[in-house]
């Protein structure tokens, strides 16, 4: 696909048929030399997706994408365990929701949890909450297991959040 006109920052371009889960993006130059097209693709989240639709406004507001495909990899933004109604539950509920959101993004991209190659989870009060998290994690991880780093942090983006999970998956050759 060849881009023939400048685009607004992070504006998505529909691909013929528009049924594809990804959109090709470019960025405006803001007075600089236009950036070279790199083949980066942003995952489209359907507006009626029960698991992720409540986050669509946040992507634009905070200037990030839910997932980006670059080459043969899918980079998934940090997923938190906030309920669609905005509520925040227990550590187990937060872990469950964050992992369900990750699985849903993978599903939208045509992948599964088995395609994860790296996962990083951030934990507030790690010593208190790790056991509860690990019980949930065990239900979602499948062989071959991804590389996984578990990092203790002071705080996350919103009060009450205890877990955030970001991931990288690989597309089949």
């Amino acid at each position: 696909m060849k881009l023939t006109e400048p685009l607004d920052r992070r504006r998505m371009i529909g691909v013929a048929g528009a049924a594809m889960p990804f959109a090709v993006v470019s960025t405006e130059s803001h007075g600089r030399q236009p950036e070279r097209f790199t083949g980066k693709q942003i995952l489209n989240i359907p507006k009626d997706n029960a698991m992720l639709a409540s986050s669509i406004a946040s992507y634009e507001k905070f200037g990030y994408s839910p997932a980006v495909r670059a080459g043969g990899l899918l980079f998934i933004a940090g997923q938190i365990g906030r309920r669609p109604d905005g509520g925040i539950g227990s550590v187990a509920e937060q872990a469950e929701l964050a992992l369900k959101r990750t699985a849903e993004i993978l599903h939208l991209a045509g992948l599964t949890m088995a395609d994860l190659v790296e996962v990083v989870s951030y934990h507030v009060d790690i010593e208190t909450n790790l056991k509860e998290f690990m019980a949930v994690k065990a239900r979602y991880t499948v062989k071959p297991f991804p590389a996984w780093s578990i990092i203790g942090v002071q705080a996350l983006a919103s009060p009450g959040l205890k877990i955030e999970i970001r991931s990288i998956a690989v597309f089949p050759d």
Side-chain angles (χ1 to χ4, degrees), residues 19-172:
M20 298 182 70
F22 289 94
V24 180
V25 298
S26 180
T27 57
E28 66 182 21
S29 64
H30 293 291
R32 301 181 309 257
Q33 284 289 334
E35 296 179 26
R36 183 176 69 80
F37 175 70
T38 61
K40 179 169 87 171
Q41 299 172 307
I42 306 304
L43 181 69
N44 287 319
I45 303 297
K47 290 183 176 156
D48 63 349
N49 184 289
M51 179 63 62
L52 301 168
S54 63
S55 299
I56 292 173
S58 294
Y59 304 139
E60 193 63 36
K61 180 180 178 182
F62 296 109
Y64 72 101
S65 301
V68 176
R69 181 177 184 167
L73 298 175
L74 182 68
F75 298 85
I76 302 173
Q79 298 300 306
I80 58 172
R82 187 184 308 273
R83 294 188 298 259
D85 68 3
I88 298 173
S90 68
V91 170
E93 184 181 1
Q94 288 184 46
E96 185 88 26
L97 286 169
L99 289 164
K100 280 183 177 180
R101 292 170 60 88
T102 299
E104 180 66 11
I105 288 171
L106 289 164
H107 171 76
L108 290 172
L111 300 171
T112 70
M113 295 293 276
D115 296 308
L116 290 173
V117 292
E118 181 183 35
V119 178
V120 178
S121 53
Y122 301 92
H123 303 260
V124 175
D125 300 326
I126 192 168
E127 293 162 356
T128 304
N129 299 323
L130 190 58
K131 184 177 181 181
E132 200 172 347
F133 170 79
M134 293 301 287
V136 176
K137 175 185 177 278
R139 294 195 313 268
Y140 283 86
T141 52
V142 295
K143 290 183 179 182
F145 296 126
W148 198 306
S149 298
I150 297 174
I151 300 171
V153 296
Q154 189 82 21
L156 292 169
S158 295
L161 290 176
K162 301 292 185 186
I163 295 166
E164 182 168 336
I165 301 169
R166 69 177 176 87
S167 314
I168 300 172
V170 64
F171 286 90

